[in-house]
Structures are given as structure tokens and as C-alpha cells.
Amino acid sequence: MRKVLPQRNLLRGALRAPKKRAAREQTHPRHPDVAHPCSPELHTPPVLPRIYVTGLGVVSSIGLGRRAFYEGLEAGKSGISTVASFDTSRLGRNRAGEVKDFDPRDHLTIAERRRAGRCGAMAIAAARMALDDAGLGCQELAGPRTAVVLGTTMGEATLLGDMEHDWIVEGPDAVRRSALPKYGATLLSVHVARAIGAQGMVLTLPAACAAGNYALGFAANLIRRGRADVVVTGAAEVIQELQFSGFVRLAAMADSKCQPFDLHRQGLLLGEGAGLLVLESESHILRRQAEPKAEVGGYGMSCDAYHITRPPPDGAGSVVAMKAAIERSGLSPADVDFVNAHGTGTKQNDVAESKVIREIFGDRRVPVSSMKSMLGHCMGAASALEAIGCVYTLQTGVYPPTIGYVSPDPECDLEVVANVARRGKADIVVNNSLAFGGYNAVALFARPGILPPPIDPQTALGKSDSSARFAP
């Protein structure tokens, strides 16, 4: 049995301990050049793998495929048109960034079309475009080291609406059995994995309108932690009647055009599409001698914990996310060349985001633009498509314009790239995504060779920055 010492003996031992340590130091003094085994200098933070974007796939209202998308962005092309996929006559609004020229038969097999709805079809098509752009074949992707991480807001909600309509109007027997296996946002990543032969982790993140950046951040983390070599990531979304009518009821939808940061902006317009990116580790790129398009830097996430639809007036949560993305990249705000703003065109969002950008950059007039002026707000797919737009800026040095910007708003005092694309320095770009519910997700991208080696913030002793606090 273990002997319990009297308390006075324990106290006596504690008092003697410093004297014993001092005696040992005199007998065996520590060499002045030898660090203590628990000192920070012996625990250098590990350098994590670099992550690169090697392929891009796009289904959007301004073009299908990377090249058409790039051309649309540079031209300031509007993808806004009259909604044709459902009846809007009773809703009071009828404009959106609807994808008109996408035919699943051009991109999917017959079996895939039976399994997937429109959202899944867009995701599969964009994935195939991205892999073709990256020069990757199915044989190189097969196995558990290839993962698929996608984001969405409502996924195949159109199917649910159709099934509910049939049930209510004609009864439960009218619900088509073939529609049931297609429904479910979680199936998006499964559809893509099955189409490309990926056998690693599959995950769908329904993180509202920040889902694209959330998926990108999670995908990057898989590679940084050594759990995958290749991740196909991004997001997909379709315009759906329930979603459309909901924004009309919230009085958040503009009549005909989206004008982010403009004095006379009336609100957002919805959009749809899919934006998928192929992320690879540096070692995987070197093995196959691929050419990277951009490097993935840090990302920051936070929650406003304020209101379901409104951002806090000071944008405090968004400030945390932006700072984290920049700090985790080993950079300062002075290094950032361009900001793709969330920029929805709503009164409160644009004012709050303007405060955030001014808080981060101070008096510096960093160029800012919102691609939603061209694409509409593609919900879960928004930040994924806009991430591809950020890669476009890094590759070409062209800042996409905010079209429809006519009258500056004093409360949105930003360096808006108005109406016409602008050329400038483009080494570091930031992609903001600030969603309903207070989701904030910010991603940073850089030209290859610009960023310092990525350091794990969670193991960096003595650091207490916001990036470490918000590391997943």
C-alpha cells in the first residue's frame, strides 16, 4: 500500500528543494550556451507544406470554363438576366445571374445524370474542367490521398421543392421515386468523388454564403496536415424558388441590377453556378512537374454572434477573420494588393464591410471590387467562384470591375474598381466571404514564390495572435 506522508513532511521537502537545486547548480553548472530543454528556441515551429492551385473549373452566368470566365471578368460582363427556371410573376422580382447555356448532357454520362440534380451536375462538370485544366487524369487521382471538399447553401433544394409540390397537389404517390436519391446536399462531394475516382475524405460544408471559403480552408488544412496530396474543392449552388422568394420577402433584392458600394444600391441579385479548384501539395506538384497557378495562403474564420441576417455595425467578427488570414500567411496588411469584397449591394452589409476594410488597411487605398455585380450573389458558390477570380487577378494583374458603380457612397469610402477592369500590382489578394448567421471566412492567395514558408501557428510558442486562436 502506498504510504501517505504527513503534510508537514511534504512542506519540509518543498522548502528544501530550492537548496538542493542550488547545490546541484554549483556542483554541475549548466553551460551558458546550452538552452533549457523546455525553452522556445528548442521548439521551432514546424514548417508546413505549401499548397498550390493547379486547376480551375467554372460554371457561371458569364461563361463556362476558366477562359470564358476570365474573359467575362475582364470585360465587365453582366450575367444578369430574366429568370426562366421558375415562375416569378407573383414575386415582384425577376432578375438573377441564371446560367443559361449549361447542358448536363455535354458534361455528364447518362448514369451520372440519373444520380445527380442540377447542382450536382454543375459540380461534376466544374470538377472535370478543373482536373483537365490541372492536367490530372483519373489514374493519378485514384486512391485515398485524393479528397473532395465542397460547400453549398441549399444543394439540391430544387428537387425538394418539386417533390413537395407534387405531394401537395397530387398526393404522395405523385412523388417520383427517381428524385429521392438525388436529394441531399451531402451528396455533392460524393457525386464528384465518384465521377473522378477519388477515394479519400469526402465532405460537404453547408456554411451559408461563406461555404466556398470554408471548403477551401478545410481542404487546405487536409494537405497541410499531411492527410491528402490532392483536394478537389470549391462550391456549387442553383437558384431555387424558395430561396428567391425568401430574399424578396426580406426586402433584400434589387429590382434589376446589383450595385455594391454605390450610393443608390437597392440590394442583391441572386446567382448560381459552380467554382471548383484543384489544390495540390508542393511535393505532389514536383513529382509530376506541374505548373502552379497560385499559392494558397492563410485563412481566417469567425462568427459575429450578433444577428441572423445583419452584420454588426462595426464588423468586429470580419476584422478578426481578415487579420487571421493575413497573419497566418506571414504577412501584414501593407502586403495586400487587392481585396475581393463580399459586396452584396445591400445597405448594411456594404457599410459594415467598408468599415472592416478601413480598419484593416487604415488610410491606405487598397483596390476593392465585388464580382457579385456581374455574377449575382451565388450563395454557397459565391466565394469559390470569386476565389477563381482572385487567381485570375494573380495570373494577369487585372482587377475585375464592380459594374453599375455610379455614385460613391460616403459611408463606403473605398478604392472601388469602378465599371472598367484595372491593371496593377497583383502579388497578394484577399477574398472576403461574410454570410448570414454571422459566418465570416477570408482566404488569401498569392503568386507562387511570394509567401514566406507557412508556419504552424498552434505550435509557435510565445505567439498569441488571432491566427493561432482561430486555427482549426
Side-chain angles (χ1 to χ4, degrees):
M1 181 178 293
R2 186 176 177 180
K3 185 177 180 181
V4 179
L5 294 175
Q7 187 174 359
R8 62 178 180 274
N9 291 343
L10 292 173
L11 181 60
R12 191 179 297 122
L15 293 173
R16 286 177 179 173
K19 296 180 181 178
K20 290 182 179 179
R21 282 197 297 270
R24 282 198 301 269
E25 288 290 339
Q26 290 178 356
T27 308
H28 304 287
R30 184 184 292 122
H31 193 281
D33 294 332
V34 177
H36 189 276
C38 292
S39 63
E41 54 264 34
L42 289 187
H43 292 266
T44 304
V47 176
L48 300 176
R50 292 182 181 272
I51 303 165
Y52 294 100
V53 179
T54 57
L56 305 168
V58 182
V59 175
S60 80
S61 60
I62 65 171
L64 302 181
R66 175 176 62 86
R67 294 186 185 279
F69 186 67
Y70 279 13
E71 291 169 1
L73 290 178
E74 186 162 358
K77 179 180 178 181
S78 175
I80 306 303
S81 62
T82 302
V83 174
S85 56
F86 54 88
D87 183 12
T88 61
S89 59
R90 295 183 298 169
L91 298 177
R93 295 287 188 270
N94 65 356
R95 305 282 286 173
E98 196 172 47
V99 179
K100 304 290 192 185
D101 53 353
F102 174 72
D103 188 341
R105 293 174 296 182
D106 296 334
H107 305 277
L108 279 68
T109 65
I110 295 174
E112 287 168 345
R113 296 201 301 272
R114 281 199 297 262
R115 289 195 296 265
R118 181 173 168 82
C119 191
M122 287 183 174
I124 292 171
R128 288 207 166 104
M129 294 176 194
L131 292 172
D132 183 63
D133 192 39
L136 279 168
C138 289
Q139 289 184 339
E140 297 169 282
L141 298 172
R145 299 293 297 173
T146 300
V148 178
V149 181
L150 300 183
T152 190
T153 298
M154 300 183 72
E156 303 287 11
T158 302
L159 289 169
L160 181 62
D162 292 343
M163 287 188 286
E164 287 178 334
H165 178 271
D166 293 343
W167 184 305
I168 292 169
V169 174
E170 302 178 44
D173 291 340
V175 176
R176 291 171 293 122
R177 184 178 299 177
S178 61
L180 293 173
K182 296 180 180 181
Y183 175 68
T186 55
L187 294 177
L188 285 181
S189 54
V190 174
H191 289 322
V192 170
R194 191 169 177 178
I196 67 175
Q199 295 174 306
M201 173 184 279
V202 293
L203 180 66
T204 305
L205 294 169
C209 303
N213 269 356
Y214 263 80
L216 282 162
F218 195 96
N221 203 45
L222 285 179
I223 296 176
R224 290 214 199 279
R225 302 299 174 185
R227 296 171 185 169
D229 296 321
V230 180
V231 184
V232 177
T233 187
E237 200 76 61
V238 294
I239 296 173
Q240 196 263 345
E241 189 173 1
L242 173 64
Q243 172 198 71
F244 191 93
S245 58
F247 277 98
V248 172
R249 291 287 294 154
L250 286 170
M253 192 176 290
D255 182 26
S256 59
K257 56 185 176 181
C258 177
Q259 297 174 276
F261 306 113
D262 187 88
L263 179 64
H264 303 296
R265 63 191 181 279
Q266 298 178 330
L268 58 80
L269 291 176
L270 292 181
E272 65 178 0
L276 268 68
L277 304 87
V278 177
L279 305 188
E280 294 185 59
S281 66
E282 184 174 22
S283 60
H284 195 268
I285 287 178
L286 291 174
R287 280 199 301 271
R288 68 185 195 92
Q289 299 182 327
E291 190 70 29
K293 291 177 170 58
E295 182 174 355
V296 181
Y299 61 94
M301 298 174 181
S302 68
C303 182
D304 293 332
Y306 176 75
H307 191 273
I308 194 66
T309 60
R310 293 197 306 270
D314 61 358
S318 304
V319 170
V320 168
M322 283 194 77
K323 282 185 176 179
I326 295 169
E327 289 173 7
R328 290 185 70 183
S329 303
L331 303 173
S332 73
D335 298 311
V336 177
D337 300 312
F338 172 73
V339 174
N340 175 69
H342 187 62
T344 60
T346 58
K347 292 288 185 182
Q348 292 173 324
N349 180 89
D350 288 2
V351 170
E353 188 174 12
S354 297
K355 290 179 181 178
V356 171
I357 293 171
R358 291 197 300 270
E359 171 74 17
I360 295 293
F361 296 101
D363 294 334
R364 182 168 168 248
R365 305 283 291 183
V366 62
V368 175
S369 193
S370 172
M371 299 180 207
K372 292 180 180 67
S373 61
M374 294 177 274
L375 301 169
H377 191 343
C378 298
M379 301 287 104
S383 52
L385 285 163
E386 291 163 17
I388 294 173
C390 289
V391 175
Y392 156 76
T393 293
L394 293 170
Q395 288 191 291
T396 63
V398 176
Y399 308 147
T402 301
I403 64 173
Y405 185 84
V406 179
S407 304
D409 183 349
E411 290 190 275
C412 301
D413 184 20
L414 300 173
E415 185 64 28
V416 177
V417 181
N419 299 308
V420 178
R422 185 192 306 176
R423 290 191 175 273
K425 184 170 177 283
D427 290 337
I428 309 289
V429 299
V430 166
N431 186 30
N432 282 357
S433 187
L434 321 172
F436 274 9
Y439 283 98
N440 301 306
V442 179
L444 185 143
F445 300 90
R447 281 198 305 108
I450 296 294
L451 294 179
I455 300 296
D456 186 348
Q458 291 180 313
T459 59
L461 297 182
K463 289 185 71 176
S464 59
D465 60 11
S466 59
S467 63
R469 292 199 303 275
F470 287 88

